[in-house]
Amino acid sequence: MPEKIESYKVVCVGGLDTTENHLALSDDKPGSATRLINYEVSLFGGYRRINGFSKLHPLYSEVVDPNGTASEGKVLGLAIYRHPSTGIDTIIAARKDVGAATYSFFQFVAGVGWQRYTTPTLTSTNVTKVRHVVYNFGAGNQIAFADGVNPAIVFDGTNWNQITTGGAGTVGSYGGPQALSAPSVIDVFKNHLFISADSSSEAVVAYSSPNAAHDWTAASGAGQSNIGFKVVQFKPFRDNIFVFGSNSIKKIAPDITSGFKLDNVTNNVGCIAADSVLELGGDLVFLSPDGVRPVSGTSRIGDVEISSISKPIQRVLSNLPSQFDLSTLNGLVVRGKTQLRYFIGDSTKPVASSFGIIG
């Protein structure tokens, strides 16, 4: 009967929760959801549908297939690099060469298309991802790449130089004995270039001399740290570099006498996806076997906030390792929305099965 109709307000807050049954959620968390597809956390509370995407720039409308006539396969790496001379942001992509066991770097020029850079020969066999870091040690913007198969390579806006263990440590001969032959992760900390996760030196983190990414000689301040476990990823955070293994975490901190020192963080928690390590909202977060965890809680002695921050979707995350190859996971931070986004595009799965998480 109309006179018996009652209104009830339900505020859409709480996000996705797969830990309880529908009846319990309706009583205790009426604003939460049990199924959200293509939704995102709203800046104004609750959650909302994703708008979609927009192109980087109208002139880049044709950026869909890096050098399609001479390249094949997936894009191995993508970077935005501000040229030190022109100040113009350049899109750089890495992709396998057609009919060859090599890959190349390409830049996109608006109105012209993709142009191949002239670089040293780069083997593409077993390369699944090319990671990068942009830095400026005083000589203008430079960008360094690592792929896990070839030596790390640096582009200064004009020249490409590989960092080899046989290099002299000069601007004309990048490298030195402290370098690694085939690092797969790379970053910058305290004006040193850091590399690690070399298949032949799995437990070693190497760093260049200060303010000189070309110099990897001990006499100039370069060095190596043996972490004691296979390195999955490392990431600078505040005054330390946190080094992640599959079951352990350590941190590297500056030291007046030795340059850098190594400290334990935990031997009971590890990272299962190298590119899940992100800095978000003042914390460093990573994907562990039991969900997304913050480094801040893990590293502070006596802090009670060491548990997973993704308990509401524990069921979803716990199934990921068995369903997907997590080496294909790509993570990014949307700063304007204080969001992290994980995209998993396992090549053994159809496109429609690609998976992503927004938090």
Side-chain angles (χ1 to χ4, degrees):
M1 299 296 291
E3 62 270 14
K4 293 185 178 181
I5 294 177
E6 296 182 3
S7 62
Y8 181 74
K9 293 181 180 179
V10 177
V11 181
C12 294
V13 295
L16 183 65
D17 194 329
T18 63
T19 60
E20 298 186 44
N21 62 57
H22 296 196
L23 293 177
L25 288 176
S26 64
D27 291 336
D28 302 331
K29 303 177 182 178
S32 61
T34 59
R35 187 169 180 264
L36 288 178
I37 298 178
N38 294 336
Y39 273 74
E40 67 177 347
V41 179
S42 173
L43 286 173
F44 308 104
Y47 41 87
R48 62 185 302 278
R49 286 296 298 269
I50 296 176
N51 287 338
F53 66 92
S54 60
K55 294 170 181 174
L56 179 65
H57 190 281
L59 294 177
Y60 295 158
S61 59
E62 60 187 286
V63 181
V64 291
D65 191 359
N67 210 44
T69 59
S71 300
E72 62 185 0
K74 69 177 183 178
V75 175
L76 299 172
L78 187 67
I80 306 296
Y81 171 64
R82 176 158 295 180
H83 197 281
S85 299
T86 64
I88 297 175
D89 288 334
T90 302
I91 300 176
I92 298 178
R95 199 176 184 203
K96 181 182 178 297
D97 300 315
V98 169
T102 59
Y103 75 87
S104 298
F105 287 99
F106 304 89
Q107 66 166 330
F108 182 78
V109 179
V112 177
W114 291 98
Q115 295 182 336
R116 184 195 301 268
Y117 284 109
T118 301
T119 68
T121 301
L122 298 166
T123 300
S124 64
T125 305
N126 297 324
V127 173
T128 58
K129 186 175 294 187
V130 180
R131 299 180 177 91
H132 72 278
V133 62
V134 179
Y135 59 91
N136 187 339
F137 290 163
N141 285 344
Q142 297 186 5
I143 183 169
F145 298 89
D147 61 21
V149 173
N150 301 279
I153 188 168
V154 176
F155 180 54
D156 62 8
T158 303
N159 302 305
W160 292 83
N161 294 279
Q162 285 185 302
I163 300 172
T164 65
T165 55
T170 64
V171 175
S173 179
Y174 278 47
Q178 302 304 312
L180 299 176
S181 299
S184 61
V185 295
I186 189 166
D187 218 316
V188 167
F189 178 64
K190 299 293 184 181
N191 283 12
H192 295 257
L193 183 63
F194 277 72
I195 55 178
S196 187
D198 187 314
S199 58
S200 60
S201 303
E202 297 178 333
V204 175
V205 173
Y207 52 91
S208 71
S209 60
N211 300 307
H214 60 271
D215 192 346
W216 294 76
T217 61
S220 298
Q224 296 183 351
S225 293
N226 194 319
I227 306 303
F229 53 74
K230 180 180 178 180
V231 176
V232 173
Q233 179 63 282
F234 64 78
K235 190 67 66 174
F237 182 63
R238 298 177 183 171
D239 293 326
N240 304 284
I241 279 190
F242 286 84
V243 184
F244 298 85
S246 57
N247 294 299
S248 303
I249 303 174
K250 291 186 178 181
K251 64 180 180 180
I252 298 174
D255 184 73
I256 296 177
T257 57
S258 61
F260 293 98
K261 64 178 182 178
L262 188 64
D263 293 319
N264 285 320
V265 175
T266 177
N267 292 317
N268 296 312
V269 178
C271 177
I272 60 174
D275 294 299
S276 69
V277 185
L278 301 170
E279 184 175 349
L280 176 69
D283 286 328
L284 195 64
V285 298
F286 62 98
L287 184 61
S288 70
D290 58 351
V292 180
R293 285 178 173 266
V295 158
S296 60
T298 306
S299 64
R300 291 197 296 265
I301 298 174
D303 193 322
V304 296
E305 193 177 351
I306 62 173
S307 61
S308 168
I309 58 175
S310 56
K311 287 294 185 184
I313 58 169
Q314 182 70 28
R315 184 179 303 172
V316 176
L317 293 179
S318 61
N319 293 330
L320 289 183
S322 61
Q323 293 178 338
F324 297 96
D325 176 7
L326 294 185
S327 67
T328 65
L329 182 148
N330 292 286
L332 62 88
V333 171
V334 183
R335 296 179 183 176
K337 297 182 178 182
T338 317
Q339 290 180 9
L340 66 81
R341 298 189 180 188
Y342 290 153
F343 298 95
I344 307 174
D346 190 335
S347 60
T348 63
K349 307 288 185 182
V351 174
S353 298
S354 296
F355 190 79
I357 297 172
I358 296 176

